[in-house]
Amino acid sequence: MQDPEITDELIAAHGFTPDEYAEVLRILNRDPNFTELGIFSAMWNEHCSYKSSKKWLRTLPTDGPQVICGPGENAGIVDIGDGQAVVFKMESHNHPSYIEPYQGAATGVGGILRDVFTMGARPIAAMNSLSFGEVSHKKTKRLVSGVVEGIGGYGNAFGVPTIGGEVRFHPAFNGNCLVNAFAAGLADADKIFYSAASGVGMPVVYLGAKTGRDGVGGATMASAEFDDTIEEKRPTVQVGDPFTEKRLLEACLELMQTGAVISIQDMGAAGLTCSAVEMGDKGGLGVQLNLDLVPQREDAMTAYEMMLSESQERMLMVLDPSREAEAKAIFDKWDLDFAIVGETLAEDRFLVLHGDEVKADLPLSKLSSTAPEYDRPWEATPAAAALADAPDIDSIEGLRALIGSPNYARKHWVWEQYDAQVMADTLRTPGLGAGIVRVHGTDKMLAFTSDVTPRYVRANPVEGGKQAVAEAYRNITACGAKPLATTDNLNFGNPEKPRIMGQLVGAIKGIGEACAALDTPIVSGNVSLYNETDGQPILPTPTIGAVGLIADPEDLIAGLPEDGDWALLIGETTGHLGQSALLCEAFGREEGDAPAVDLAVERRNGDFIRQNSALIRAATDLSDGGLALAAFEMADAAGLGVALDETDTARLFGEDQARYLVACSFDQAEALMSAAAQAGVTIAQVGRFGGDAVSLGATSVPLADLSALYRSSFEAALT
């Protein structure tokens, strides 16, 4: 097949700016051919190169005594003691999921699982953070149904428990949904596998499923805005097979036990191109590939298609040549392809052969670590105007407005489509706070959560970024776990617009400040930009995934309130209603500033919760909906009424930070209040659990009535 002529239109279609293409010409001192153009495009696009964000990502705290491996590898790794490590990452599959919801979401799960097990870890938990347009939008129901089905279909078949996440709706996501997938696995701290190639003349081995045309150009598509040509992008979405991935997991982990693996890399974005280039670049080596040897499931594939295919369930490995027969036997046993497709080179060269022709001959280092890096102009987000008039509403009606909204209604319709109990180590399933998984064969437990409030970030990127980290910290703390580290998924609009770039810069500043103060370094992550359709950006959504450790079962806080328990509020309440859930859901207003985050108080109150976990039967952090929603959610989970003494709207629904609601017996409450006085922590009794009614001040309604609304609203709106 004749390669197309390299025209200005073709160059632009591959995402190059004129200056970037001029740099390609300077590097090569010649015109690239079609395959080379595709390779440069894949490696220099936003999705793979982080060219708009690298400058700011370097400012994030990534180190700590608990960190074994920070950003730069397939996933981050944190020590959990006893020679064990937790490996985790969060990554987006936003554009593919909007185009083809089921496969986009499914392959997002598959990709993040491969990021974990390519490092030698067996996946033990998955989460997701999902953002959709308004419920009434013509595409929302189809997107929700397809995405949820895709996540469940892949994760359930693969056999990993989905233990938590979040789902939100907002008009800003009408043209661009967000699907952020998280996975975590366990590995021996001394048996971790990295992607840097080593040794000259070592065989480069293709592992897993065959290569097809699905996903060609996917990384480039993910680095561009949407417009009315969106349906034409459907072929760029990959197709996943969870059963093949399960076999790939088992084959890779078995192979890793043999000592045959020198380095290994998942074939994700940009497929064979990105995996080969990154392995070579990290090892300071070149790579030669012979595409005639690549297992293919479609006829007459071109070099361009094979190099840019994002077919799923594939790995690339540098192999100890003395172990070739042993390695091949393992993959034959698991009925997976195993093919030596190239070798490492001493020189800085990426040489691609196909049909006895040289299809690409490029300086490998220029494709990855020396990709363009921009210091884009940015504008700080203007200070938000103060909330003009604080709204007042009957407290029960305010609560009804929240729990009757799909944003805050119970999401069991979603999580019941996920298998949360596979592997039999899940201790807390979705809907009750951070997900908790037992570290099999030990007394240890790991807690997982993902959090962000996009309204806050739009109003005040710095405080919104801090708040996302702080809320994740509180969710981990509320179950008695010590927060260890975080991963981020930074979802923003077009960074070429200074206003959008300013949101990204501000959020990273806030995230970095909070991670440093709370000792939760960022060890992995993903940046997803150009989330816009026809020039309309999403809400800035820097999702934070956090991991915590419960080293002693006695520290676990996982109970439910019991009849007669005191409701104690830890933390200071001023009644901040700016950008609050109540303001948005009950009044249709998104006004005011985000709540301020005092990181010293966050740390002090979090330490207090963990140090006094033995005195706490149940706990939750306070975030969206404030005290009223937190108390109702605890009551609903326990099937028990609650009476709060507070009558003021702002104090019931305000979203001040650094706060927890805990349930204790009378004796525990007395001891906890005494401990708080000694620690300088603000604490107050705000009510009691018991009976069969929800009482907010003088207004009371049967719990059953509110629970029926809470448990039916999501499904009624979305099905």
Side-chain angles (χ1 to χ4, degrees):
M1 182 182 295
Q2 187 71 30
D3 283 347
E5 179 185 355
I6 307 298
T7 63
D8 290 344
E9 291 76 18
L10 190 65
I11 293 165
H14 280 73
F16 290 102
T17 66
D19 287 344
E20 287 171 348
Y21 189 68
E23 180 65 10
V24 171
L25 296 179
R26 188 196 67 77
I27 289 170
L28 296 181
N29 198 27
R30 61 174 173 82
D31 291 332
N33 63 37
F34 183 53
T35 300
E36 291 172 334
L37 184 74
I39 289 171
F40 264 107
S41 170
M43 294 307 303
W44 282 16
N45 66 52
E46 193 73 53
H47 190 76
C48 293
S49 72
Y50 296 95
K51 58 190 176 186
S52 297
S53 56
K54 278 192 288 191
K55 167 184 169 67
W56 299 101
L57 295 176
R58 292 192 188 101
T59 67
L60 291 170
T62 59
D63 297 323
Q66 71 274 43
V67 177
I68 296 174
C69 176
E73 277 292 339
N74 288 289
I77 308 174
V78 174
D79 191 347
I80 60 169
D82 306 311
Q84 293 180 301
V86 58
V87 180
F88 64 99
K89 187 183 182 182
M90 179 173 275
E91 195 163 73
S92 62
H93 232 221
N94 302 336
H95 284 48
S97 298
Y98 190 76
I99 297 168
E100 184 59 61
Y102 183 95
Q103 291 295 349
T107 52
V109 174
I112 200 67
L113 289 169
R114 287 195 304 280
D115 280 339
V116 166
F117 72 75
T118 194
M119 303 201 72
R122 180 173 291 278
I124 60 165
M127 294 190 299
N128 52 79
S129 177
L130 311 176
S131 303
F132 300 102
E134 55 194 333
V135 173
S136 60
H137 189 268
K138 61 183 180 180
K139 290 189 176 182
T140 298
K141 291 183 180 180
R142 182 181 70 86
L143 288 170
V144 172
S145 177
V147 165
V148 170
E149 188 178 353
I151 291 170
Y154 204 101
N156 297 351
F158 177 85
V160 62
T162 300
I163 59 166
E166 51 187 346
V167 184
R168 67 178 57 84
F169 301 89
H170 191 279
F173 301 107
N174 281 346
N176 205 129
C177 66
L178 302 183
V179 176
N180 295 174
F182 171 100
L186 285 175
D188 292 336
D190 60 351
K191 295 177 182 176
I192 292 166
F193 292 82
Y194 297 97
S195 60
S198 63
V200 175
M202 293 292 133
V204 174
V205 185
Y206 175 113
L207 306 171
K210 289 179 168 58
T211 294
R213 291 186 172 91
D214 51 320
V216 172
T220 300
M221 175 271 293
S223 303
E225 295 181 33
F226 282 156
D227 54 30
D228 56 9
T229 66
I230 183 173
E231 288 302 318
E232 299 172 14
K233 296 181 171 68
R234 191 175 299 275
T236 63
V237 178
Q238 311 93 325
V239 177
D241 180 351
F243 299 104
T244 298
E245 178 126 330
K246 176 64 172 176
R247 287 184 285 123
L248 182 61
L249 161 72
E250 299 299 343
C252 285
L253 294 184
E254 184 175 343
L255 179 63
M256 289 167 173
Q257 297 301 311
T258 69
V261 178
I262 294 175
S263 63
I264 189 165
Q265 174 76 36
D266 160 43
M267 282 198 229
L272 195 53
T273 289
C274 192
S275 56
V277 169
E278 289 191 356
M279 288 174 73
D281 187 63
K282 290 175 183 176
L285 296 169
V287 173
Q288 175 179 305
L289 297 177
N290 185 345
L291 300 184
D292 296 333
L293 304 175
V294 170
Q296 300 163 52
R297 57 177 163 83
E298 298 187 48
D299 294 332
M301 290 190 69
T302 66
Y304 180 95
E305 290 169 334
M306 279 189 275
M307 292 306 297
L308 299 185
S309 167
E310 295 183 6
S311 294
Q312 297 292 285
E313 293 83 46
R314 302 181 300 160
M315 297 280 196
L316 200 65
M317 172 181 70
V318 176
L319 174 71
D320 179 345
S322 69
R323 314 298 286 270
E324 178 186 338
E326 184 179 5
K328 186 177 187 307
I330 291 171
F331 276 76
D332 286 346
K333 181 182 78 171
W334 288 101
D335 193 24
L336 294 165
D337 279 293
F338 176 100
I340 296 177
V341 296
E343 64 176 353
T344 57
L345 304 173
E347 61 266 34
D348 179 18
R349 192 179 188 193
F350 190 38
L351 183 61
V352 179
L353 310 175
H354 186 224
D356 297 323
E357 294 182 25
V358 174
K359 289 296 186 180
D361 192 351
L362 304 168
L364 187 144
S365 65
K366 300 298 183 184
L367 295 169
S368 182
S369 56
T370 55
E373 179 177 335
Y374 294 124
D375 184 5
R376 295 199 185 277
W378 60 277
E379 298 173 358
T381 300
L387 194 60
D389 57 310
D392 194 21
I393 191 172
D394 175 80
S395 54
I396 291 295
E397 290 310 305
L399 182 58
R400 286 186 189 276
L402 292 176
I403 64 176
S405 160
N407 276 311
Y408 303 106
R410 195 170 187 263
K411 307 295 194 307
H412 58 283
W413 181 88
V414 174
W415 72 65
E416 285 175 358
Q417 297 185 55
Y418 308 149
D419 189 340
Q421 295 291 356
V422 64
M423 301 180 75
D425 281 318
T426 304
L427 297 179
R428 181 192 270 172
T429 55
L432 294 172
I436 305 173
V437 171
R438 180 189 302 110
V439 179
H440 196 77
T442 76
D443 289 334
K444 294 181 294 190
M445 292 162 261
L446 290 168
F448 304 97
T449 188
S450 67
D451 296 286
V452 65
T453 306
R455 293 188 315 278
Y456 293 172
V457 186
R458 183 176 61 181
N460 188 327
V462 176
E463 289 301 312
K466 287 163 60 176
Q467 191 276 338
V469 176
E471 185 176 346
Y473 174 88
R474 292 196 302 271
N475 271 319
I476 295 294
T477 294
C479 67
K482 175 179 175 54
L484 291 178
T486 50
T487 181
D488 59 10
N489 202 150
L490 307 179
N491 308 272
F492 290 82
N494 184 344
E496 297 168 40
K497 299 176 180 178
R499 178 177 64 87
I500 301 297
M501 191 65 203
Q503 293 175 343
L504 175 63
V505 171
I508 291 175
K509 287 182 176 181
I511 289 168
E513 186 179 341
C515 287
L518 301 176
D519 192 23
T520 55
I522 295 280
V523 297
S524 60
N526 172 242
V527 177
S528 175
L529 304 180
Y530 295 95
N531 290 289
E532 298 198 10
T533 297
D534 294 326
Q536 297 301 308
I538 61 164
L539 290 181
T541 308
T543 310
I544 298 295
V547 177
L549 175 67
I550 301 171
D552 185 338
E554 295 296 319
D555 295 335
L556 175 65
I557 305 172
L560 296 172
E562 295 184 3
D563 193 19
D565 276 355
W566 283 31
L568 300 181
L569 178 60
I570 294 169
E572 191 72 33
T573 299
T574 62
H576 183 95
L577 284 173
Q579 298 297 331
S580 66
L582 180 73
L583 196 68
C584 182
E585 300 294 346
F587 298 94
R589 296 166 56 188
E590 296 182 28
E591 303 168 19
D593 199 358
V597 179
D598 186 324
L599 294 168
V601 175
E602 290 281 4
R603 181 149 189 170
R604 183 190 68 196
N605 291 0
D607 288 344
F608 177 77
I609 291 286
R610 289 190 299 277
Q611 290 163 3
N612 293 279
S613 60
L615 299 175
I616 299 171
R617 192 190 317 277
T620 184
D621 88 299
L622 267 61
S623 52
D624 284 328
L627 172 62
L629 185 57
F632 169 76
E633 289 176 343
M634 289 181 78
D636 174 80
L640 198 64
V642 63
L644 297 180
D645 303 325
E646 188 59 69
T647 59
D648 180 70
T649 297
R651 296 184 69 83
L652 278 170
F653 295 98
E655 296 177 5
D656 307 287
Q657 301 296 293
R659 297 187 301 161
Y660 301 82
L661 181 64
V662 304
C664 306
S665 69
F666 175 80
D667 290 342
Q668 290 173 322
E670 280 198 324
L672 196 64
M673 295 179 83
S674 175
Q678 295 179 4
V681 169
T682 301
I683 190 170
Q685 183 191 6
V686 291
R688 297 281 288 273
F689 289 96
D692 58 6
V694 174
S695 301
L696 302 181
T699 309
S700 184
V701 67
L703 172 67
D705 291 355
L706 294 178
S707 291
L709 176 65
Y710 178 55
R711 291 166 180 260
S712 64
S713 295
F714 187 93
E715 188 170 357
L718 272 300
T719 59

